[in-house]
Amino acid sequence: MTIEQILETLRLIIKDYNYWGQSESDSPLKITRTKSIIDLLNVDSKLRKKADVPIPDSRTVISKTLDEAFNPLIENTFNDLKTTFENITDGNYVGVQDSIEALEYYVQLKHTFAQLTDTSVNYIDAENDSSVGLIIQGKSGTETVYATALLTQT
């Protein structure tokens, strides 16, 4: 895939469904590209400023592979879907569509970012702070594609 195709695919994915399940609030991903080296703390600071959230003095970057970050989300969503199906009575499929969309979202995001090199899922966190920066990134040639969101975790 070309970088343009990856960007188009990512934007289509988040247009259909855009909710990161590890957040207690609405935290839609925003897709960006750059030729510059990404400073994770700087990107996190911008996310926090935009959301009018204080920037802690000390923040930690926790980097995970795509598998480490996405596999638990995919497995949990699949298990939720399975449980929902097991509890269907009288053809009442409430909750099924949301679970299917979430599962599709995580699988498609993981698959699309896997087309890139040097991928990582980064969480920028601080002690006693409910805001967590999320930056998913990967490279294509000289450019970096990244998705950002500010999660709420209490």
Side-chain angles (χ1 to χ4, degrees):
M1 280 185 148
T2 67
I3 193 162
E4 286 76 19
Q5 291 170 320
I6 288 171
L7 287 165
E8 181 181 340
T9 300
L10 288 170
R11 289 184 178 125
L12 286 172
I13 292 167
I14 67 171
K15 184 177 181 183
D16 182 43
Y17 184 90
N18 196 358
Y19 177 77
W20 195 260
Q22 294 174 322
S23 184
E24 297 168 20
S25 66
D26 189 24
S27 43
L29 292 176
K30 179 183 177 212
I31 308 299
T32 311
R33 76 195 269 186
T34 185
K35 288 187 178 190
S36 304
I37 295 173
I38 296 177
D39 178 334
L40 297 173
L41 293 177
N42 187 36
V43 172
D44 177 65
S45 293
K46 289 177 183 178
L47 290 170
R48 291 169 186 269
K49 284 178 186 174
K50 185 174 181 180
D52 199 26
V53 173
I55 301 169
D57 293 331
S58 177
R59 293 171 287 164
T60 304
V61 176
I62 301 161
S63 293
K64 296 184 176 190
T65 65
L66 293 178
D67 285 343
E68 290 171 332
F70 280 97
N71 288 359
L73 291 167
I74 291 168
E75 289 171 21
N76 289 341
T77 305
F78 180 77
N79 289 334
D80 288 346
L81 179 61
K82 196 167 101 176
T83 300
T84 302
F85 269 114
E86 289 170 356
N87 293 318
I88 289 174
T89 56
D90 301 325
N92 185 358
Y93 292 92
V94 173
V96 172
Q97 182 177 350
D98 288 341
S99 294
I100 290 171
E101 286 180 348
L103 184 60
E104 179 184 37
Y105 174 71
Y106 295 130
V107 169
Q108 288 179 340
L109 280 174
K110 180 183 176 191
H111 175 74
T112 304
F113 272 99
Q115 309 290 317
L116 301 168
T117 60
D118 299 328
T119 56
S120 62
V121 179
N122 306 283
Y123 297 92
I124 295 83
D125 200 2
E127 201 170 312
N128 300 318
D129 181 39
S130 62
S131 296
V132 178
L134 170 66
I135 304 165
I136 307 167
Q137 65 180 3
K139 292 189 73 125
S140 177
T142 60
E143 291 191 75
T144 300
V145 174
Y146 60 104
T148 59
L150 190 62
L151 312 177
T152 303
Q153 298 178 340
T154 56

